[in-house]
Amino acid sequence: MGTIATSEQQARSDHYPSRGTSKAQLLKRLDPIVYSSVTTPSPISQTLVEGYKENGFIILEDVFGKKEIESLQRELGLLRNNEKIRTRAEVITEPGDDSIRSIFRIHQLSSIFRKLGTNRRLVQLAQYLLGDRVYIYQSRLNYKPGFYGKEFYWHSDFETWHVEDGMPIMRALSMSITLTDNYETNGPLMLIPGSHKHYVVCEGETPKNHFKDSLKKQEYGVPSIDYLSRLVDKSGIVTATGKPGSVIIFDCNTMHGSNSNITPYPRSNVFFVYNALSNHVVEPFCNQPPRPEYICAREAIEPVQV
Amino acid sequence: MGTIATSEQQARSDHYPSRGTSKAQLLKRLDPIVYSSVTTPSPISQTLVEGYKENGFIILEDVFGKKEIESLQRELGLLRNNEKIRTRAEVITEPGDDSIRSIFRIHQLSSIFRKLGTNRRLVQLAQYLLGDRVYIYQSRLNYKPGFYGKEFYWHSDFETWHVEDGMPIMRALSMSITLTDNYETNGPLMLIPGSHKHYVVCEGETPKNHFKDSLKKQEYGVPSIDYLSRLVDKSGIVTATGKPGSVIIFDCNTMHGSNSNITPYPRSNVFFVYNALSNHVVEPFCNQPPRPEYICAREAIEPVQV
């Protein structure tokens, strides 16, 4: 990992090809899911670890208390109405209007969210599951506002991170902290259990500056409905509903998405993506320049200290 | 009702004004909800009748058996793939692509669906609740396909039927028969209990040929988020989930909508709108010509015989 491979070298060693000349297919995952050995003391029960291995996600309830959540909700409101923030590149609006869909690099824009992303309990769990020191690869607030919150179509984060950012292997995970009630009705996160054990090769080119549109609405590199159906046929769909203060932890390759939200209840979550330090990005596995630093940290990567 | 009122006369007698020069507000419903007297024998229990009065809807499970539903599902598939049907005006496609969203006038396009819409149990119940002979005002299949099914934003049917079709008072109801599983995840019908007791006056003009767009995506005559929030604050949201063969019966003024559907499971329902014969339409309460006959029956209206 000391030197950055050339595109040619990568093409030869790309075990997770997707888009470009690739044809839609289902490949086996080649990497571990939990990287620490069973003898390493775990910050969560072995049952939860097994659940994470089997399903590709776990949900921990009541991780954060009422006061902590109120402080985060207040910060979320302040960021949303901060005119200086609204004009930044990190802010993604909903397709078709200017309400805020997501804010990226939230751990650098807000000291309160930085504190959350470097929370000892979260980071130690990420270190345990990934068996390495970790850094924050990406962070973002997803507002999913009431009335007009739009869907996020099915995707494996790893497929995009691999192709567009150059993440070498599946050794990263997301933690989504719920900041509002996540009901069945307000477009909760939906996950396909077991989907992380397969890699869904997608068809289609990666257009130039794809991220500018894909963060509003994904149209390239989407899994085919045939393979999605196969994955769902195996073990269905789980919705991650719960009170504010829950943490949804899911593997970088777990297929997930969410429906729209016409209810008055916003469905706001904050995501931190932890990547193993040894798994830092190389050149993208497509013929496009890397996405901006606020979407994928590539420079001056520092492990989170706990 | 013998003669059709002029626009001016209607303006004077319009108890449910909306759009045009109207300002957003909440008016009281002026009409009964159940029109038959308590002494009239009811085809459903008094508890269900009271539930309908209070909430504006009831859900009856297992009304149709497996064989009946299979036959309807088969017909649904045939209609969907019938090239002669696809090009008809009655067929509404999803916004942004050509997959079928709805087919109108289904009781005239298909003898199997005609039989369903004139089913004795459904019609007798409609007659009881509306206290009159009834006719089929509108019928439609809503496919809500898997993966790409789009949302239906909140609306009161009556607001549109009154303004755009000229339905005089709230004396109509819908019956939605579920043809597939309606899960929490595949964009089930959501209803706001008690919302039928209020009339939400909407702002905005009715554009010319509004129906051509509004059946894909409603943009005018939508209730304000303030009033929607007030209605939801009172009694929340109920999702109409259930197995195929259920019937959801809801008052013409019950606020309802549904989220998108990215799951592989289509959420297909067939709707029949029954209107009291005495409540047949007059001139629209807006400055536009009436919508086409396939959306709103206005000519040669005949009561359903049972």
Side-chain angles (χ1 to χ4, degrees), chain B residues 184-197:
Chain B
E184 292 286 3
T185 53
N186 63 347
L189 182 68
M190 299 193 288
L191 307 119
I192 305 179
S195 56
H196 63 307
K197 296 177 184 170

Side-chain angles (χ1 to χ4, degrees), chain B residues 118-124 127 303-306:
Chain B
T118 56
N119 175 285
R120 177 188 291 268
R121 286 178 297 168
L122 302 189
V123 174
Q124 285 182 337
Q127 286 174 334
V304 185
Q305 306 295 338
V306 288

Side-chain angles (χ1 to χ4, degrees), chain B residues 4 20 49 63 69 77 95 99 126 144 155 158 178 185 192 196 201 206 210 215 225 246 275 289 300:
Chain B
I4 291 179
V49 174
V63 177
I69 292 300
S99 61
K144 178 96 67 162
H155 62 285
F158 178 75
T178 60
T185 53
I192 305 179
H196 63 307
V201 180
T206 306
H210 180 226
L215 300 175
I225 63 174
S246 306
N275 190 19

Side-chain angles (χ1 to χ4, degrees), chain A residues 185 262-263, chain B residues 154 188-192 237-239 255-259:
Chain A
T185 53
I262 67 164
T263 76
Chain B
W154 296 113
L189 182 68
M190 299 193 288
L191 307 119
I192 305 179
I237 292 168
V238 170
T239 48
M255 197 66 76
H256 62 286
S258 64
N259 282 319

